[in-house]
Amino acid sequence: MPECEARPQPNPGPRDLRRGWYSAAVSAPRTNPKPPGLNRALAIGPRVFLRRPVPGDYDEFLQRMRDSRPLHAAYTAPMRNREDYEAMLQRSRQRNRVMMLICRLEDGAIVGQINLNDIIRGITQQAYIGYHVFVPFQGRGYMIEGVDLALRYAFRGLKLHRIEAGIQPDNERSLALVKRLGFRYEGTARRLLKLAGRWRDHER
């Protein structure tokens, strides 16, 4: 499965732990200097920041999911109602899982989601990463910045050693994204997950 090594962060300091490696060099355009949720950020980049979901995100999050169903149909299980959202929040509180929303620094809008799942400690120190972008924010570079921030949080904040991803072979954009971030192809898992009624292969 892919293994990703973090790139060096220039001049890291105790006040920079939430910031991406490039954030000091690039200024993010902001119409609102303090977008909602920034005070709870896990990591901050030039255009987006990562934070955990909260109950107050329900309306915006569910609308994003509904708008994005055609984009996500074959790749993730859809969320349909408040019960599904509450279940997601319950899962997000588990010790072996970190759920993060990708939010735009400009206005705090939720543009995507990243999960670190099945975190294993001990001699392994690894997790599986999953992510998706919402309509209408795809194709703008938010996702690669968000995943890069999540990897740095995983390696530096959580002290993990290995991050793995499983991606369907026809998901060309997602495969291109992880390759740009330094993941290595290690094989294909046949019929790994049942999504949209079918057992689907995933490249690992």
Side-chain angles (χ1 to χ4, degrees):
M1 299 182 78
E3 180 176 333
C4 186
E5 295 293 340
R7 287 166 286 183
Q9 180 177 3
N11 302 319
R15 297 183 181 180
D16 300 323
L17 295 179
R18 296 181 303 167
R19 292 194 170 273
W21 65 277
Y22 39 66
S23 62
V26 181
S27 296
R30 303 183 193 178
T31 57
N32 180 355
K34 292 184 179 180
L38 185 62
N39 62 322
R40 293 181 277 109
L42 300 175
I44 305 171
R47 298 194 300 159
V48 302
F49 64 96
L50 306 181
R51 64 170 177 83
R52 295 179 183 269
V54 296
D57 295 320
Y58 170 74
D59 290 332
E60 181 181 0
F61 189 87
L62 189 64
Q63 189 60 54
R64 300 285 189 223
M65 291 292 291
R66 287 171 175 166
D67 293 343
S68 304
R69 281 178 187 169
L71 181 65
H72 298 159
Y75 303 120
T76 187
M79 179 178 296
R80 302 185 183 280
N81 52 42
R82 185 175 291 275
E83 182 177 342
D84 289 346
Y85 185 77
E86 293 294 336
M88 185 194 78
L89 289 182
Q90 288 291 333
R91 293 193 300 273
S92 74
R93 300 185 184 106
Q94 296 173 358
R95 295 185 63 183
N96 67 338
R97 189 185 307 265
V98 177
M99 292 186 176
M100 295 172 278
L101 301 181
I102 308 173
C103 299
R104 192 165 57 180
L105 269 174
E106 178 183 347
D107 54 8
I110 300 171
V111 303
Q113 181 182 10
I114 300 174
N115 297 329
L116 295 172
N117 299 314
D118 301 326
I119 297 172
I120 304 173
R121 293 298 186 178
I123 63 172
T124 304
Q125 299 293 339
Q126 73 173 37
Y128 297 90
I129 191 168
Y131 51 85
H132 52 261
V133 67
F134 293 134
V135 173
F137 304 107
Q138 70 273 32
R140 301 187 186 183
Y142 295 134
M143 182 55 68
I144 192 167
E145 182 180 328
V147 175
D148 193 25
L149 289 173
L151 292 174
R152 293 175 184 284
Y153 175 73
F155 288 125
R156 293 180 176 150
L158 301 180
K159 307 299 183 184
L160 296 177
H161 169 70
R162 180 178 170 94
I163 304 296
E164 304 182 3
I167 301 170
Q168 293 184 50
D170 64 342
N171 193 345
E172 296 178 357
R173 286 190 173 185
S174 190
L175 290 172
L177 184 150
V178 295
K179 288 177 182 176
R180 286 179 62 186
L181 291 173
F183 282 72
R184 296 194 304 265
Y185 172 73
E186 296 186 351
T188 299
R190 304 296 180 186
R191 295 166 53 84
L192 179 66
L193 297 176
K194 190 174 185 180
L195 297 168
R198 288 176 49 199
W199 287 99
R200 298 177 186 269
D201 297 346
H202 285 69
E203 294 191 7
R204 308 178 72 171

